[in-house]
Amino acid sequence: METPDNAENAAETTAAHTGIAAQDWSRAAADPQYRAAVVDLLGALAYGELAAFERLAEDAKLAPTLDDKAELAKMAAAEFQHFQRLRDRLTAIDVNPTGAMQPFAAALDEFHRQTAPSDWLEGLVKAYVGDSIASDFYREVAARLDSDTRALVLTVLDDTGHASFAVEKVRAAIEAEPRVGGRLALWARRLMGEALSQAQRVVADRDALSTMLVGGVADGFDLAEVGKMFSRITEAHTKRMAALGLAA
């Protein structure tokens, strides 16, 4: 998905600080609480990438043309490659990938159940808006990670091409039938609310992850900073809505 400048700058700025963000995995993992937080993070990401692969493959069935179907299939393959990298990383640090993903499966499955698109355009908006919100959240967290884990996380969050594809298709649909814009704007606002709630639930349910966000493991990331983080994510969402030609 797209990477907002503010998220990139936050990651780059924090990575320059001393502390965990300046350490490699072998040094940072000596702290058992930090190690547990990273395992949770990689588990959540891995299941998210696996779910994205499944969803894109399913959305391809709704594609109106063969070219669109092929484009989504290519994106699905890229998401699966991201999943494989995360799975391999978990295995390399002596963690069972299935066990690491399991705590997050129910929440992510419920999110996708509640936000199942009814048509092709809703599916595109969900991938563009919903996945981008999740990516913004993980990029913010990545700024507080050791250098090795941060590099992996940022790599698997790379845009698979869905952003520009979604913008092109949605804007063309709105131009052809302007009333579609109102329906898609309501849908995107719903996705925003559900995605933020889901992210907050995931963090609240995992002690190590919540500690990483509010301090104790991370470099000075307190509750006030958490509020600022979600404000930045909301701002980035508003910019994406504008790119789609929709009111936030």
Side-chain angles (χ1 to χ4, degrees):
M1 291 300 137
E2 290 183 320
T3 307
D5 292 339
N6 55 359
E8 283 186 326
N9 292 339
E12 291 170 359
T13 300
T14 307
H17 293 173
T18 58
I20 286 176
Q23 298 176 18
D24 61 16
W25 168 251
S26 61
R27 290 178 59 201
D31 181 338
Q33 189 174 39
Y34 177 76
R35 177 184 171 85
V38 168
V39 169
D40 275 351
L41 180 65
L42 297 183
L45 265 174
Y47 192 78
E49 294 292 340
L50 184 59
F53 159 72
E54 292 178 322
R55 193 184 68 250
L56 284 170
E58 191 68 21
D59 287 352
K61 297 177 183 178
L62 301 173
T65 70
L66 286 176
D67 285 342
D68 292 337
K69 190 184 295 289
E71 190 66 24
L72 283 187
K74 182 176 72 174
M75 294 173 194
E79 298 289 8
F80 192 76
Q81 289 177 348
H82 290 166
F83 161 73
Q84 288 178 309
R85 294 194 65 163
L86 291 160
R87 181 194 61 190
D88 292 347
R89 178 60 175 165
L90 285 164
T91 300
I93 62 174
D94 298 322
V95 174
N96 178 271
T98 301
M101 291 188 290
Q102 194 62 50
F104 307 99
L108 286 169
D109 288 347
E110 180 63 13
F111 168 74
H112 289 305
R113 187 191 68 78
Q114 293 181 352
T115 58
S118 62
D119 61 19
W120 160 250
L121 290 174
E122 286 190 2
L124 288 179
V125 171
K126 179 180 176 180
Y128 178 60
V129 172
D131 288 0
S132 294
I133 293 169
S135 292
D136 287 348
F137 171 74
Y138 287 123
R139 287 180 192 281
E140 292 275 359
V141 176
R144 271 74 191 176
L145 298 173
D146 65 273
S147 58
D148 297 323
T149 305
R150 181 170 64 248
L152 172 62
V153 169
L154 294 178
T155 296
V156 301
L157 292 177
D158 279 349
D159 181 18
T160 60
H162 211 131
S164 58
F165 181 77
V167 168
E168 176 189 349
K169 297 296 180 180
V170 171
R171 290 188 73 96
I174 294 172
E175 184 176 347
E177 190 176 353
R179 65 179 182 177
V180 168
R183 173 172 67 87
L184 293 180
L186 289 173
W187 171 243
R189 285 195 285 273
R190 179 186 167 193
L191 290 169
M192 175 67 172
E194 293 286 353
L196 287 180
S197 295
Q198 192 265 343
Q200 291 166 340
R201 284 196 300 270
V202 166
V203 172
D205 288 345
R206 307 298 294 178
D207 290 343
L209 264 184
S210 61
T211 300
M212 176 182 282
L213 284 174
V214 302
V217 172
D219 298 333
F221 203 21
D222 58 20
L223 286 171
E225 281 300 313
V226 173
K228 293 177 183 177
M229 175 188 75
F230 282 108
S231 293
R232 288 192 293 269
I233 292 173
T234 301
E235 180 182 350
H237 168 73
T238 300
K239 292 179 180 179
R240 289 193 186 94
M241 291 285 281
L244 287 172
L246 301 175

